[in-house]
Amino acid sequence: LSAGGYTCKELRDGGFSATDLRDLDFSASDLRTAGFVMRQLKAAGFGCGDLAAAGFTPKELTVKQHGFSAFEMKSVGFSAKQLRSAGLTIEDLKSADFTLEQLRAAKFSIKELKSVGYTAVQLESLGATAPELRQGGFTAVEMKEADFPLHELRHCGYGDKELRAAGYTAEELKTAGATAKDLATAGFGADELRPAGFAAAQLKVAGFNCEKL
């Protein structure tokens, strides 16, 4: 592309500014090739899309360096994964209206997703497993709300005491594999274990004497 027979670089070398050349309909790509830097192109009025089309990377376009927000970069086609790689935080991307599915695809951790308000119910719906959610910091109460099978919660490390506090009954825990001794240790009394179907012999093994029965 040229103007008056001069190339973009010749005009730049001749002292014309980025704004002058933009007014002559040179593109951001033309000006970049001619040697203008991003700061000059942005000051000349080129937008995020123009600069992205000129080949600038998400890292070069980040808000901390040149004033483009995550929302602006999303609007010109950059993915959550690209913007995460460029150094933007999960808070930046959530504020730009990236969906949970997109943030999950960008490989943010369960802990990070939890930190910005996503629930165990939402994450389970996208395939997150009980061990992943436990590692991410979700409580037994939150896992109960997500409707995970109780035996999975016990298997991935939630203790019977915590599960009791979350509202599970002795009968439910027994069905999930807990013994009378397990449940006695978790704080259940004989009056709760008897209706759950434990035999007198099992309560004796669990440490209950005649007086406690």
Side-chain angles (χ1 to χ4, degrees):
L1 190 64
S2 64
Y6 295 100
T7 65
C8 187
K9 187 175 188 310
E10 289 172 328
L11 291 169
R12 175 186 180 273
D13 293 343
F16 288 90
S17 70
T19 301
D20 294 330
L21 299 181
R22 181 175 184 272
D23 291 342
L24 290 172
D25 291 330
F26 285 102
S27 69
S29 182
D30 295 328
L31 271 67
R32 185 185 187 195
T33 300
F36 287 99
V37 298
M38 185 189 297
R39 173 180 51 79
Q40 295 169 309
L41 299 183
K42 187 171 186 294
F46 287 105
C48 186
D50 300 317
L51 298 179
F56 289 101
T57 67
K59 189 170 184 178
E60 292 172 314
L61 293 168
T62 55
V63 63
K64 294 176 184 176
Q65 296 183 48
H66 296 286
F68 292 114
S69 68
F71 188 85
E72 288 175 298
M73 292 199 284
K74 178 192 175 196
S75 70
V76 300
F78 289 114
S79 69
K81 186 175 183 179
Q82 289 174 305
L83 297 185
R84 183 190 180 207
S85 296
L88 275 71
T89 67
I90 191 168
E91 290 84 3
D92 294 328
L93 301 190
K94 189 180 181 190
S95 70
D97 293 331
F98 280 100
T99 66
L100 174 56
E101 290 87 347
Q102 291 169 322
L103 296 177
R104 182 88 160 124
K107 304 299 182 185
F108 283 104
S109 70
I110 296 293
K111 187 174 183 179
E112 289 172 309
L113 294 167
K114 182 179 186 292
S115 74
V116 294
Y118 290 109
T119 67
V121 173
Q122 291 171 304
L123 292 166
E124 188 278 333
S125 72
L126 292 182
T129 65
E132 287 176 320
L133 294 177
R134 181 176 184 273
Q135 188 173 13
F138 285 97
T139 66
V141 171
E142 292 170 310
M143 299 294 277
K144 188 173 191 285
E145 291 171 353
D147 206 26
F148 278 96
L150 181 52
H151 69 86
E152 285 188 28
L153 300 187
R154 293 190 81 246
H155 183 72
C156 73
Y158 289 97
D160 292 320
K161 186 174 183 179
E162 185 177 2
L163 294 168
R164 180 186 184 225
Y168 289 102
T169 67
E171 184 175 0
E172 289 172 317
L173 287 163
K174 177 177 182 285
T175 301
T179 66
K181 187 173 183 179
D182 292 331
L183 298 183
T185 301
F188 286 96
D191 60 330
E192 295 171 288
L193 300 186
R194 280 196 307 272
F198 288 104
Q202 292 172 302
L203 296 185
K204 185 175 186 300
V205 171
F208 293 100
N209 56 32
C210 290
E211 291 180 358
K212 293 180 180 178
L213 293 177

